[in-house]
Amino acid sequence: MHSFKLFPLSLVSVAISSSFFSQADPFEYPELQPSQMDFGGVGLMQMPTGRMAPEGEFNFGGSWNNEYHMYNVSLQLMPWFETTIRYTLIQDLFYSSDPSFSGDTPYTDKGIDFKARLLEESYYLPEIAVGIRDFGGTGLYDGEFLAGTKRFGPLDVTLGMGWGYMGQSGNATNPFCKASDKFCERSSDTKNNGGSVDYERWFKGPASIYGGLEYQTPYKPLSFKLEYDSNDYSQDFPVVRGGIDMTQHTPWNVGAVYRLDDWGVAKVSYERGDTLTLGFNLTSNFNELKASWRDEEAPILRPNQAEVLDDVDFAQLSKELDVIAGYQNNQILIDQDTIIIKGEQVKYRDRDEALERAGAVIANSVPSHIKTYKIVETTQSNEMVEQQINADKFRDISEENYLGAHVSDSATKQEPSSGKSTIYYDGKERFDYSVSPHLAQSFGSAEDFYLYNIGLNTGASLWVTEKVQISGSIYINLLDNYDKFNYIAPPDGTSVPRVRTMFRAYVHDNPVRMDHLQFTWFEDYGHGIYSQAYAGYLESMFAGVGGEVLYRPLNSNWAIGADLTAISQRDPNSWFGVYDQERQFSEEDGRYYNVMSQGTTGFVTGYYMPQWEMLDNTLFKVGFGKFLAGDIGTRIDFSKQFKSGVIAGAFASLTDMSVEDYGEGSFTKGFYVSIPFDLITVKPSGNRAWFSWLPITRDGGQQLHKQHELFNHTDSRSPWFQRPSSVQ
């Protein structure tokens, strides 16, 4: 049996104390805010509503009762589109009947839900939404719904129709059955590997009407819910497989929601007439996160102190350009009446802020005969974009000689231009080193719900020429539980190489190892064409030689690139060795398995940032090519950037590998969130923290983890990762 802790009921009792009634104004009600249901996503308790949360709202939550422990993440990706990822741990049922494989891990179901708004609420019409629950899941909770919600003062009224899990009671006739007989029956067959989309079942079979109310009390933190539940629970998994009694004594569920300021919500409900369910949500909004840091003071424009170039302290100028304006590893060049600064912008996402600071630093340091400041932004020694600043206009702006003065009035963004210039100071560091934390994680595995690996990457790099870099890193594993990972070798007869399922051998079994060691040659051909060629130990599992080329026009919302790499899989028991035989033998379970001793991988990839209002601030990446295991197909990556700069994305690899060969999960997919460092640190920074979610690790649809991605390196040409915050 599993136990859980009850949240303090004082959170509810305080809301109904006598002081509440004595202080509340009965004629004024706080605005009702949409709340999350047990499954995750905006709704009542079991049933979804037509409501949407504010754009960017992020909820991490859980709900607990005797039968189900549910954990979910819900994100309002667009004003009209809601996404939810959910894990359900079914109590008193084990993941498998083999204790040596999964132990006492509860049966775990993964689910993904979507909801799309069809109609916004108006004076007469409700807000209407349609949704899919357990999209691409195992079928335990799959269902569809259409719901409308209307606001009447402090009261939200919902009426909806559900199919599948939400239509199990069958209290209404399926309207689609009137149009076609194929909608009258819902097949009980599902694609049991999970991850496959059973669209053939959508809106078929029994249908049910459901509804409910959510009431905002005069006391702002507290609201109440009443729900008519359209699922009779007769076909729930614990009932069918475990013989658990989930008899629905009444279809009416009641609940209360208590908001803990803006960061959390506590919930309690009484469902089915005999089940107490407790819940909790941590909330934030990616559209409202603000950066707050301590920064160096912006320089104040002073009269020129240098009369000739010999009076300029170029070492000090270089330091100030780095510390104050964020242009690291800079070089200072002079071409007659023009000063040229080449450097990497590592500090400010807002390039106007960087330009204004750099312009003031330069103006305070150089003689008055310098009429043009050229700031060339570089990445990995390649020139990306040039900002040309007119010195006289810049002084007018800095002195606010006219209304609405802005640094962009004095600057022109253009392709980097070549010319005859003399290097007066070279502040570029040839050697660099770093130490960074690393987290790898997987959810919902048979051996344990959460598998993790925490370690440190200690890296270093050296520029041996202006264009050639040698870099390497050693990975130190600090803590992990991958000793529980029992996937040793696939069943006899499979030909799929083990390109990622050998993760345990590389990390847990070898806690200190060389992560990568490679030579990289970067080249800039001008007019938006960039390339890299690389050779060596490219990542923790693969060595090889290859290259990438990218075309990215300046200020364009698209780019296209291609890469090709000859690969050999590294031997986990050796720092420098690679497998020389494709067929390997596992001494742990006495079976043979394949590895990728020699092969190729490569993709042609297109990048597109739509300019449509419906998909504002989004990026599509679509690549077609050959994956590590030899399977051929496409990888689709879609991401959304919120006003704060937080990016949320999802990806999927669809290949010619069969579902049977791939195994559980059916195809590779995952989600990620990228958070700018300047939102979580006290200093401005152009770096990002990445958090990813992978439902399960298998060998199909896997890509090489290259050290350098040209699309990322060329971001300043048409910013995506470095877009400034627009939070007011």
Side-chain angles (χ1 to χ4, degrees), residues 520-597:
T520 311
W521 173 27
F522 298 96
E523 194 56 74
D524 167 17
Y525 300 98
H527 304 289
I529 302 175
Y530 300 90
S531 72
Q532 63 165 325
Y534 44 80
Y537 300 91
L538 307 180
E539 52 138 287
S540 61
M541 299 187 188
F542 285 91
V545 57
E548 179 187 10
V549 62
L550 177 78
Y551 175 55
R552 189 170 190 175
L554 184 65
N555 297 327
S556 177
N557 66 331
W558 64 274
I560 188 168
D563 64 273
L564 182 64
T565 310
I567 54 172
S568 291
Q569 191 163 348
R570 296 174 61 183
D571 184 345
N573 297 313
S574 168
W575 274 35
F576 299 100
V578 296
Y579 285 116
D580 56 5
Q581 297 290 329
E582 179 180 298
R583 195 76 167 161
Q584 299 292 321
F585 179 74
S586 170
E587 295 183 357
E588 285 195 54
D589 60 3
R591 290 190 295 182
Y592 286 94
Y593 61 93
N594 288 344
V595 296
M596 182 57 71
S597 60

Side-chain angles (χ1 to χ4, degrees), residues 409-422:
D409 298 341
S410 66
T412 303
K413 186 177 181 180
Q414 59 190 30
E415 291 280 2
S417 56
S418 58
K420 296 180 180 179
S421 55
T422 303

